[in-house]
Amino acid sequence: MTETAPFTTTSGRYLSTLIGLWLPRHGWKIALPLIAVAAAGIILPDARLILVALMLLFIVMPMGMSFLYTYYMLTPEARRAILPKQVMIAPGEYLRLHYLPSEKPETEKTDETDETAIDTFPVPADETIPWTDIRRVKLTSSAIVYILNTKRLQFILIPSSAIPKGAILTV
């Protein structure tokens, strides 16, 4: 069993990993209409089709990306990424996510009290993900991504800096 150092992942890092996993699966669905309209505009000498291709590129595609953000990033499952945690990895058995309290800066002293108030959020209960719920493990240059076997694309992102040297993390 391997235990990582405490870490957290930024939402930007999570989104970039999500896009890197999502585009190879579904990117052709976005690119195909754009390429078809642009090709038709080039083959038929009609500037209106080129204009339609540019409208698809600059208007419709950002709306699609905002849908992607809303569909994946605003889910309860995405909380796994942004909360501080430690992960216990037992290859072939389970991943256990142990959530840690958030480090919030202290607020300024108020006139009413002499003590400083600290904003605290409840720490979620630990989660255990059985190894059978992991579809595959993807190694990147800066992280290990455990892709879960769910209908919606979900994954656990563990930065390489949090993993002890010489740890065995896959089976």
Side-chain angles (χ1 to χ4, degrees), residues 50-93:
I50 299 294
L51 185 61
V52 168
L54 288 173
M55 288 176 11
L56 281 173
L57 181 66
F58 292 116
I59 296 172
V60 176
M61 296 305 167
M63 291 171 47
M65 295 305 289
S66 68
F67 172 76
L68 182 71
Y69 180 84
T70 304
Y71 185 73
Y72 288 105
M73 296 292 290
L74 299 179
T75 62
E77 296 87 13
R79 72 181 163 84
R80 290 179 174 148
I82 60 171
L83 292 175
K85 64 188 152 300
Q86 278 185 294
V87 179
M88 280 64 86
I89 304 165
E93 295 178 32

Side-chain angles (χ1 to χ4, degrees), residues 147-160:
I147 301 169
L148 303 180
N149 193 16
T150 57
K151 188 174 181 182
R152 181 185 303 202
L153 178 61
Q154 296 176 23
F155 55 91
I156 307 296
L157 180 66
I158 302 175
S160 299

Side-chain angles (χ1 to χ4, degrees), residues 4-74:
T4 66
F7 68 93
T8 187
T9 305
T10 63
S11 58
R13 171 67 192 206
Y14 185 81
L15 182 61
S16 67
T17 303
L18 173 68
I19 289 172
L21 294 172
W22 190 86
L23 277 179
R25 288 184 186 178
H26 305 287
W28 64 272
K29 296 174 190 174
I30 293 173
L32 192 61
L34 180 64
I35 292 170
V37 171
I42 292 171
I43 292 171
L44 306 169
D46 192 355
R48 293 176 293 180
L49 290 174
I50 299 294
L51 185 61
V52 168
L54 288 173
M55 288 176 11
L56 281 173
L57 181 66
F58 292 116
I59 296 172
V60 176
M61 296 305 167
M63 291 171 47
M65 295 305 289
S66 68
F67 172 76
L68 182 71
Y69 180 84
T70 304
Y71 185 73
Y72 288 105
M73 296 292 290
L74 299 179

Side-chain angles (χ1 to χ4, degrees), residues 111-159:
D111 295 335
E112 300 168 3
T113 70
D114 192 40
E115 300 175 14
T116 56
I118 299 175
D119 293 332
T120 59
F121 298 103
V123 177
D126 291 355
E127 290 184 60
T128 301
I129 300 169
W131 204 261
T132 56
D133 289 352
I134 297 173
R135 179 178 298 157
R136 69 183 171 111
V137 179
K138 181 178 180 185
L139 302 172
T140 67
S141 60
S142 62
I144 294 179
V145 183
Y146 290 92
I147 301 169
L148 303 180
N149 193 16
T150 57
K151 188 174 181 182
R152 181 185 303 202
L153 178 61
Q154 296 176 23
F155 55 91
I156 307 296
L157 180 66
I158 302 175

